[in-house]
PDB file of all heavy atoms in Angstrom:
ATOM      1  N   ALA A1322       5.676  13.974  -4.017  1.00 93.00           N
ATOM      2  CA  ALA A1322       4.442  14.300  -4.734  1.00 93.00           C
ATOM      3  C   ALA A1322       3.222  13.885  -3.918  1.00 93.00           C
ATOM      4  O   ALA A1322       3.194  12.797  -3.340  1.00 93.00           O
ATOM      5  CB  ALA A1322       4.434  13.605  -6.091  1.00 93.00           C
ATOM      6  N   PRO A1323       2.191  14.721  -3.855  1.00 94.00           N
ATOM      7  CA  PRO A1323       0.950  14.306  -3.167  1.00 94.00           C
ATOM      8  C   PRO A1323       0.339  13.103  -3.879  1.00 94.00           C
ATOM      9  O   PRO A1323       0.337  13.047  -5.115  1.00 94.00           O
ATOM     10  CB  PRO A1323       0.051  15.539  -3.285  1.00 94.00           C
ATOM     11  CG  PRO A1323       0.957  16.678  -3.620  1.00 94.00           C
ATOM     12  CD  PRO A1323       2.094  16.096  -4.398  1.00 94.00           C
ATOM     13  N   VAL A1324      -0.228  12.160  -3.129  1.00 95.00           N
ATOM     14  CA  VAL A1324      -0.805  10.981  -3.774  1.00 95.00           C
ATOM     15  C   VAL A1324      -2.026  11.339  -4.617  1.00 95.00           C
ATOM     16  O   VAL A1324      -2.403  10.576  -5.508  1.00 95.00           O
ATOM     17  CB  VAL A1324      -1.179   9.871  -2.762  1.00 95.00           C
ATOM     18  CG1 VAL A1324       0.044   9.307  -2.106  1.00 95.00           C
ATOM     19  CG2 VAL A1324      -2.189  10.360  -1.748  1.00 95.00           C
ATOM     20  N   THR A1325      -2.616  12.507  -4.368  1.00 91.00           N
ATOM     21  CA  THR A1325      -3.753  12.920  -5.180  1.00 91.00           C
ATOM     22  C   THR A1325      -3.365  13.135  -6.634  1.00 91.00           C
ATOM     23  O   THR A1325      -4.221  13.100  -7.520  1.00 91.00           O
ATOM     24  CB  THR A1325      -4.395  14.199  -4.607  1.00 91.00           C
ATOM     25  OG1 THR A1325      -5.636  14.440  -5.251  1.00 91.00           O
ATOM     26  CG2 THR A1325      -3.480  15.401  -4.794  1.00 91.00           C
ATOM     27  N   THR A1326      -2.072  13.326  -6.916  1.00 87.00           N
ATOM     28  CA  THR A1326      -1.615  13.521  -8.294  1.00 87.00           C
ATOM     29  C   THR A1326      -1.351  12.197  -9.000  1.00 87.00           C
ATOM     30  O   THR A1326      -1.060  12.186 -10.193  1.00 87.00           O
ATOM     31  CB  THR A1326      -0.327  14.368  -8.330  1.00 87.00           C
ATOM     32  OG1 THR A1326       0.735  13.672  -7.660  1.00 87.00           O
ATOM     33  CG2 THR A1326      -0.534  15.711  -7.653  1.00 87.00           C
ATOM     34  N   LEU A1327      -1.438  11.077  -8.277  1.00 87.00           N
ATOM     35  CA  LEU A1327      -1.179   9.767  -8.868  1.00 87.00           C
ATOM     36  C   LEU A1327      -2.444   9.186  -9.478  1.00 87.00           C
ATOM     37  O   LEU A1327      -3.554   9.527  -9.060  1.00 87.00           O
ATOM     38  CB  LEU A1327      -0.649   8.793  -7.808  1.00 87.00           C
ATOM     39  CG  LEU A1327       0.862   8.757  -7.527  1.00 87.00           C
ATOM     40  CD1 LEU A1327       1.400  10.113  -7.118  1.00 87.00           C
ATOM     41  CD2 LEU A1327       1.159   7.711  -6.454  1.00 87.00           C
ATOM     42  N   SER A1328      -2.264   8.287 -10.443  1.00 79.00           N
ATOM     43  CA  SER A1328      -3.401   7.528 -10.963  1.00 79.00           C
ATOM     44  C   SER A1328      -3.912   6.586  -9.881  1.00 79.00           C
ATOM     45  O   SER A1328      -3.220   6.300  -8.894  1.00 79.00           O
ATOM     46  CB  SER A1328      -2.979   6.722 -12.190  1.00 79.00           C
ATOM     47  OG  SER A1328      -2.068   5.703 -11.817  1.00 79.00           O
ATOM     48  N   GLY A1329      -5.122   6.059 -10.090  1.00 78.00           N
ATOM     49  CA  GLY A1329      -5.704   5.162  -9.099  1.00 78.00           C
ATOM     50  C   GLY A1329      -4.856   3.935  -8.849  1.00 78.00           C
ATOM     51  O   GLY A1329      -4.696   3.484  -7.708  1.00 78.00           O
ATOM     52  N   GLY A1330      -4.290   3.365  -9.919  1.00 81.00           N
ATOM     53  CA  GLY A1330      -3.460   2.172  -9.765  1.00 81.00           C
ATOM     54  C   GLY A1330      -2.193   2.434  -8.990  1.00 81.00           C
ATOM     55  O   GLY A1330      -1.752   1.603  -8.186  1.00 81.00           O
ATOM     56  N   ASN A1331      -1.587   3.605  -9.199  1.00 88.00           N
ATOM     57  CA  ASN A1331      -0.373   3.927  -8.457  1.00 88.00           C
ATOM     58  C   ASN A1331      -0.687   4.293  -7.010  1.00 88.00           C
ATOM     59  O   ASN A1331       0.120   4.032  -6.109  1.00 88.00           O
ATOM     60  CB  ASN A1331       0.389   5.050  -9.167  1.00 88.00           C
ATOM     61  CG  ASN A1331       1.179   4.532 -10.349  1.00 88.00           C
ATOM     62  OD1 ASN A1331       2.176   3.840 -10.184  1.00 88.00           O
ATOM     63  ND2 ASN A1331       0.730   4.842 -11.557  1.00 88.00           N
ATOM     64  N   GLN A1332      -1.849   4.862  -6.759  1.00 91.00           N
ATOM     65  CA  GLN A1332      -2.289   5.048  -5.376  1.00 91.00           C
ATOM     66  C   GLN A1332      -2.422   3.697  -4.685  1.00 91.00           C
ATOM     67  O   GLN A1332      -2.015   3.536  -3.527  1.00 91.00           O
ATOM     68  CB  GLN A1332      -3.625   5.796  -5.341  1.00 91.00           C
ATOM     69  CG  GLN A1332      -3.550   7.241  -5.777  1.00 91.00           C
ATOM     70  CD  GLN A1332      -4.914   7.876  -5.909  1.00 91.00           C
ATOM     71  OE1 GLN A1332      -5.937   7.252  -5.646  1.00 91.00           O
ATOM     72  NE2 GLN A1332      -4.950   9.135  -6.336  1.00 91.00           N
ATOM     73  N   GLN A1333      -2.978   2.710  -5.409  1.00 91.00           N
ATOM     74  CA  GLN A1333      -3.123   1.375  -4.836  1.00 91.00           C
ATOM     75  C   GLN A1333      -1.763   0.768  -4.540  1.00 91.00           C
ATOM     76  O   GLN A1333      -1.591   0.074  -3.525  1.00 91.00           O
ATOM     77  CB  GLN A1333      -3.916   0.483  -5.786  1.00 91.00           C
ATOM     78  CG  GLN A1333      -4.251  -0.888  -5.240  1.00 91.00           C
ATOM     79  CD  GLN A1333      -5.325  -0.848  -4.158  1.00 91.00           C
ATOM     80  OE1 GLN A1333      -5.753   0.214  -3.727  1.00 91.00           O
ATOM     81  NE2 GLN A1333      -5.754  -2.015  -3.712  1.00 91.00           N
ATOM     82  N   LYS A1334      -0.784   1.015  -5.392  1.00 92.00           N
ATOM     83  CA  LYS A1334       0.562   0.493  -5.154  1.00 92.00           C
ATOM     84  C   LYS A1334       1.161   1.073  -3.875  1.00 92.00           C
ATOM     85  O   LYS A1334       1.911   0.385  -3.173  1.00 92.00           O
ATOM     86  CB  LYS A1334       1.472   0.796  -6.340  1.00 92.00           C
ATOM     87  CG  LYS A1334       1.224  -0.058  -7.569  1.00 92.00           C
ATOM     88  CD  LYS A1334       2.243   0.297  -8.643  1.00 92.00           C
ATOM     89  CE  LYS A1334       2.052  -0.507  -9.900  1.00 92.00           C
ATOM     90  NZ  LYS A1334       3.056  -0.137 -10.932  1.00 92.00           N
ATOM     91  N   VAL A1335       0.851   2.329  -3.578  1.00 95.00           N
ATOM     92  CA  VAL A1335       1.342   2.939  -2.329  1.00 95.00           C
ATOM     93  C   VAL A1335       0.786   2.172  -1.129  1.00 95.00           C
ATOM     94  O   VAL A1335       1.518   1.844  -0.188  1.00 95.00           O
ATOM     95  CB  VAL A1335       0.945   4.431  -2.258  1.00 95.00           C
ATOM     96  CG1 VAL A1335       1.285   5.007  -0.880  1.00 95.00           C
ATOM     97  CG2 VAL A1335       1.659   5.238  -3.343  1.00 95.00           C
ATOM     98  N   VAL A1336      -0.513   1.863  -1.167  1.00 96.00           N
ATOM     99  CA  VAL A1336      -1.139   1.114  -0.073  1.00 96.00           C
ATOM    100  C   VAL A1336      -0.528  -0.280   0.036  1.00 96.00           C
ATOM    101  O   VAL A1336      -0.169  -0.745   1.130  1.00 96.00           O
ATOM    102  CB  VAL A1336      -2.661   1.015  -0.282  1.00 96.00           C
ATOM    103  CG1 VAL A1336      -3.292   0.162   0.817  1.00 96.00           C
ATOM    104  CG2 VAL A1336      -3.294   2.395  -0.310  1.00 96.00           C
ATOM    105  N   ILE A1337      -0.392  -0.966  -1.104  1.00 94.00           N
ATOM    106  CA  ILE A1337       0.169  -2.321  -1.118  1.00 94.00           C
ATOM    107  C   ILE A1337       1.593  -2.315  -0.581  1.00 94.00           C
ATOM    108  O   ILE A1337       1.989  -3.185   0.216  1.00 94.00           O
ATOM    109  CB  ILE A1337       0.145  -2.894  -2.549  1.00 94.00           C
ATOM    110  CG1 ILE A1337      -1.295  -3.074  -3.050  1.00 94.00           C
ATOM    111  CG2 ILE A1337       0.915  -4.203  -2.626  1.00 94.00           C
ATOM    112  CD1 ILE A1337      -2.031  -4.246  -2.495  1.00 94.00           C
ATOM    113  N   ALA A1338       2.383  -1.338  -1.008  1.00 95.00           N
ATOM    114  CA  ALA A1338       3.782  -1.256  -0.559  1.00 95.00           C
ATOM    115  C   ALA A1338       3.872  -1.095   0.945  1.00 95.00           C
ATOM    116  O   ALA A1338       4.696  -1.727   1.609  1.00 95.00           O
ATOM    117  CB  ALA A1338       4.479  -0.085  -1.258  1.00 95.00           C
ATOM    118  N   ARG A1339       3.021  -0.254   1.510  1.00 96.00           N
ATOM    119  CA  ARG A1339       3.047  -0.026   2.958  1.00 96.00           C
ATOM    120  C   ARG A1339       2.601  -1.263   3.722  1.00 96.00           C
ATOM    121  O   ARG A1339       3.218  -1.657   4.724  1.00 96.00           O
ATOM    122  CB  ARG A1339       2.140   1.156   3.312  1.00 96.00           C
ATOM    123  CG  ARG A1339       2.137   1.504   4.797  1.00 96.00           C
ATOM    124  CD  ARG A1339       1.134   2.603   5.114  1.00 96.00           C
ATOM    125  NE  ARG A1339      -0.241   2.176   4.891  1.00 96.00           N
ATOM    126  CZ  ARG A1339      -1.134   2.848   4.175  1.00 96.00           C
ATOM    127  NH1 ARG A1339      -0.814   3.976   3.582  1.00 96.00           N
ATOM    128  NH2 ARG A1339      -2.366   2.385   4.036  1.00 96.00           N
ATOM    129  N   GLU A1340       1.512  -1.892   3.263  1.00 96.00           N
ATOM    130  CA  GLU A1340       0.922  -2.980   4.034  1.00 96.00           C
ATOM    131  C   GLU A1340       1.678  -4.298   3.878  1.00 96.00           C
ATOM    132  O   GLU A1340       1.683  -5.121   4.793  1.00 96.00           O
ATOM    133  CB  GLU A1340      -0.541  -3.163   3.633  1.00 96.00           C
ATOM    134  CG  GLU A1340      -1.413  -1.945   3.907  1.00 96.00           C
ATOM    135  CD  GLU A1340      -1.387  -1.523   5.368  1.00 96.00           C
ATOM    136  OE1 GLU A1340      -1.431  -2.404   6.246  1.00 96.00           O
ATOM    137  OE2 GLU A1340      -1.308  -0.303   5.625  1.00 96.00           O
ATOM    138  N   LEU A1341       2.327  -4.512   2.730  1.00 93.00           N
ATOM    139  CA  LEU A1341       3.041  -5.772   2.523  1.00 93.00           C
ATOM    140  C   LEU A1341       4.512  -5.697   2.915  1.00 93.00           C
ATOM    141  O   LEU A1341       5.104  -6.711   3.280  1.00 93.00           O
ATOM    142  CB  LEU A1341       2.930  -6.226   1.063  1.00 93.00           C
ATOM    143  CG  LEU A1341       1.751  -7.170   0.771  1.00 93.00           C
ATOM    144  CD1 LEU A1341       0.437  -6.427   0.868  1.00 93.00           C
ATOM    145  CD2 LEU A1341       1.902  -7.827  -0.584  1.00 93.00           C
ATOM    146  N   ARG A1342       5.109  -4.516   2.814  1.00 90.00           N
ATOM    147  CA  ARG A1342       6.533  -4.405   3.127  1.00 90.00           C
ATOM    148  C   ARG A1342       6.826  -3.480   4.300  1.00 90.00           C
ATOM    149  O   ARG A1342       7.896  -3.553   4.886  1.00 90.00           O
ATOM    150  CB  ARG A1342       7.295  -3.914   1.884  1.00 90.00           C
ATOM    151  CG  ARG A1342       7.286  -4.921   0.742  1.00 90.00           C
ATOM    152  CD  ARG A1342       8.125  -6.149   1.063  1.00 90.00           C
ATOM    153  NE  ARG A1342       7.976  -7.184   0.039  1.00 90.00           N
ATOM    154  CZ  ARG A1342       8.673  -7.238  -1.080  1.00 90.00           C
ATOM    155  NH1 ARG A1342       9.562  -6.294  -1.345  1.00 90.00           N
ATOM    156  NH2 ARG A1342       8.484  -8.209  -1.946  1.00 90.00           N
ATOM    157  N   GLY A1343       5.879  -2.612   4.631  1.00 85.00           N
ATOM    158  CA  GLY A1343       6.130  -1.670   5.712  1.00 85.00           C
ATOM    159  C   GLY A1343       5.891  -2.257   7.092  1.00 85.00           C
ATOM    160  O   GLY A1343       6.454  -1.795   8.079  1.00 85.00           O
ATOM    161  N   ARG A1344       5.054  -3.307   7.159  1.00 87.00           N
ATOM    162  CA  ARG A1344       4.681  -3.882   8.444  1.00 87.00           C
ATOM    163  C   ARG A1344       5.191  -5.315   8.574  1.00 87.00           C
ATOM    164  O   ARG A1344       5.328  -6.027   7.590  1.00 87.00           O
ATOM    165  CB  ARG A1344       3.157  -3.906   8.603  1.00 87.00           C
ATOM    166  CG  ARG A1344       2.462  -2.584   8.443  1.00 87.00           C
ATOM    167  CD  ARG A1344       0.972  -2.710   8.760  1.00 87.00           C
ATOM    168  NE  ARG A1344       0.226  -1.536   8.347  1.00 87.00           N
ATOM    169  CZ  ARG A1344       0.192  -0.397   9.035  1.00 87.00           C
ATOM    170  NH1 ARG A1344       0.854  -0.301  10.167  1.00 87.00           N
ATOM    171  NH2 ARG A1344      -0.503   0.636   8.600  1.00 87.00           N
ATOM    172  N   ASP A1345       5.420  -5.729   9.813  1.00 90.00           N
ATOM    173  CA  ASP A1345       5.729  -7.121  10.109  1.00 90.00           C
ATOM    174  C   ASP A1345       4.412  -7.789  10.477  1.00 90.00           C
ATOM    175  O   ASP A1345       3.916  -7.635  11.584  1.00 90.00           O
ATOM    176  CB  ASP A1345       6.735  -7.220  11.258  1.00 90.00           C
ATOM    177  CG  ASP A1345       7.099  -8.667  11.573  1.00 90.00           C
ATOM    178  OD1 ASP A1345       6.843  -9.529  10.713  1.00 90.00           O
ATOM    179  OD2 ASP A1345       7.636  -8.919  12.661  1.00 90.00           O
ATOM    180  N   PHE A1346       3.813  -8.522   9.545  1.00 96.00           N
ATOM    181  CA  PHE A1346       2.460  -9.040   9.756  1.00 96.00           C
ATOM    182  C   PHE A1346       2.438 -10.554   9.647  1.00 96.00           C
ATOM    183  O   PHE A1346       3.287 -11.175   9.003  1.00 96.00           O
ATOM    184  CB  PHE A1346       1.487  -8.431   8.743  1.00 96.00           C
ATOM    185  CG  PHE A1346       1.753  -8.825   7.311  1.00 96.00           C
ATOM    186  CD1 PHE A1346       1.143  -9.939   6.745  1.00 96.00           C
ATOM    187  CD2 PHE A1346       2.623  -8.084   6.524  1.00 96.00           C
ATOM    188  CE1 PHE A1346       1.384 -10.302   5.427  1.00 96.00           C
ATOM    189  CE2 PHE A1346       2.877  -8.442   5.200  1.00 96.00           C
ATOM    190  CZ  PHE A1346       2.254  -9.559   4.656  1.00 96.00           C
ATOM    191  N   SER A1347       1.443 -11.140  10.278  1.00 97.00           N
ATOM    192  CA  SER A1347       1.168 -12.567  10.110  1.00 97.00           C
ATOM    193  C   SER A1347      -0.124 -12.799   9.346  1.00 97.00           C
ATOM    194  O   SER A1347      -0.316 -13.855   8.747  1.00 97.00           O
ATOM    195  CB  SER A1347       1.088 -13.266  11.472  1.00 97.00           C
ATOM    196  OG  SER A1347       0.092 -12.666  12.296  1.00 97.00           O
ATOM    197  N   LEU A1348      -1.031 -11.802   9.382  1.00 98.00           N
ATOM    198  CA  LEU A1348      -2.311 -11.881   8.691  1.00 98.00           C
ATOM    199  C   LEU A1348      -2.473 -10.663   7.789  1.00 98.00           C
ATOM    200  O   LEU A1348      -2.346  -9.522   8.243  1.00 98.00           O
ATOM    201  CB  LEU A1348      -3.471 -11.921   9.688  1.00 98.00           C
ATOM    202  CG  LEU A1348      -4.876 -11.774   9.094  1.00 98.00           C
ATOM    203  CD1 LEU A1348      -5.228 -12.981   8.224  1.00 98.00           C
ATOM    204  CD2 LEU A1348      -5.920 -11.577  10.200  1.00 98.00           C
ATOM    205  N   LEU A1349      -2.756 -10.909   6.512  1.00 98.00           N
ATOM    206  CA  LEU A1349      -3.027  -9.834   5.566  1.00 98.00           C
ATOM    207  C   LEU A1349      -4.494  -9.884   5.164  1.00 98.00           C
ATOM    208  O   LEU A1349      -4.978 -10.906   4.673  1.00 98.00           O
ATOM    209  CB  LEU A1349      -2.148  -9.972   4.320  1.00 98.00           C
ATOM    210  CG  LEU A1349      -2.452  -8.995   3.177  1.00 98.00           C
ATOM    211  CD1 LEU A1349      -2.160  -7.555   3.604  1.00 98.00           C
ATOM    212  CD2 LEU A1349      -1.668  -9.361   1.929  1.00 98.00           C
ATOM    213  N   LEU A1350      -5.198  -8.774   5.384  1.00 98.00           N
ATOM    214  CA  LEU A1350      -6.570  -8.610   4.910  1.00 98.00           C
ATOM    215  C   LEU A1350      -6.494  -7.819   3.609  1.00 98.00           C
ATOM    216  O   LEU A1350      -6.180  -6.629   3.619  1.00 98.00           O
ATOM    217  CB  LEU A1350      -7.416  -7.857   5.937  1.00 98.00           C
ATOM    218  CG  LEU A1350      -7.410  -8.412   7.368  1.00 98.00           C
ATOM    219  CD1 LEU A1350      -8.176  -7.477   8.301  1.00 98.00           C
ATOM    220  CD2 LEU A1350      -7.994  -9.817   7.408  1.00 98.00           C
ATOM    221  N   ALA A1351      -6.744  -8.474   2.481  1.00 97.00           N
ATOM    222  CA  ALA A1351      -6.626  -7.833   1.174  1.00 97.00           C
ATOM    223  C   ALA A1351      -8.009  -7.732   0.541  1.00 97.00           C
ATOM    224  O   ALA A1351      -8.598  -8.744   0.160  1.00 97.00           O
ATOM    225  CB  ALA A1351      -5.686  -8.630   0.276  1.00 97.00           C
TER     226      ALA A1351
END
């Protein structure tokens, strides 16, 4: 599904999921 069809909160969850679990990071800018 295109993210444009999601509510704002679920769009935010997509970003959070990618940045917190998709990357191997030492610093998170939230």
Side-chain angles (χ1 to χ4, degrees):
V1324 294
T1325 191
T1326 63
L1327 273 57
S1328 67
N1331 281 289
Q1332 291 172 2
Q1333 186 72 354
K1334 286 183 180 180
V1335 172
V1336 177
I1337 295 284
R1339 182 185 66 231
E1340 298 303 318
L1341 268 70
R1342 294 291 173 85
R1344 304 186 192 281
D1345 181 17
F1346 66 91
S1347 57
L1348 170 67
L1349 173 65
L1350 307 174

